Amino acid sequence: QAQLIESGGGSVQAGNSQRLSCTSSGRPFSGAYMAWFRQDPMKGRVFVAAINWNYGTTYYGDAVKGRFTISRDNAKSALYLDMTSLRPEDTATYYCAGRSTEHEYGIPVAAVSYDLWGQGTQVTVSS
């Protein structure tokens, strides 16, 4: 079974950029969607962005729209999140997630819709 491993987290100043990566070890990811979520102490895992693994269509949460870009490299079985104009409120543990099957209503945004998760990587944005 594929395992997802995130990297690229760390500390950054507000206004700067950072890239997160997620790779699949063990087996290449061959599912339908991959996504990024972040952990909120009150809300749980909050949707950040997702991509249709086969077609490349993307969808973003309102909080990051226009600042973050999700992309993938199918050949490397890798997922990326390019984060720009970072804000202190972007501070969180970021999780990579995968879903193996097609979703009837398009790109899923609920954490429960994903069946494969990484261990998370911490991003801290200081003002």
Side-chain angles (χ1 to χ4, degrees), residues 2-13:
Q3 290 184 314
L4 301 180
I5 302 172
E6 301 98 336
S7 61
S11 298
V12 62
Q13 288 212 316

Side-chain angles (χ1 to χ4, degrees), residues 17-106:
S17 302
Q18 195 156 6
R19 167 177 262 206
L20 302 182
S21 300
C22 173
T23 55
S24 176
S25 69
R27 289 175 55 182
F29 181 76
S30 58
Y33 309 95
M34 289 196 79
W36 290 97
F37 287 79
R38 61 191 184 188
Q39 191 74 26
D40 183 284
M42 302 296 292
K43 301 177 184 177
R45 292 203 179 173
V46 176
F47 174 77
V48 174
I51 189 165
N52 183 304
W53 192 250
N54 297 308
Y55 299 107
T57 51
T58 58
Y59 189 73
Y60 295 90
D62 288 341
V64 306
K65 202 173 295 182
R67 299 188 298 124
F68 291 10
T69 301
I70 190 172
S71 61
R72 95 281 195 216
D73 185 331
N74 296 68
K76 296 181 180 179
S77 204
L79 179 73
Y80 305 103
L81 185 68
D82 288 295
M83 306 182 292
T84 65
S85 301
L86 282 162
R87 305 167 181 169
E89 53 264 38
D90 294 317
T91 294
T93 301
Y94 284 73
Y95 295 90
C96 170
R99 177 184 168 100
S100 56
T101 58
E102 291 289 334
H103 190 251
E104 182 178 1
Y105 302 106

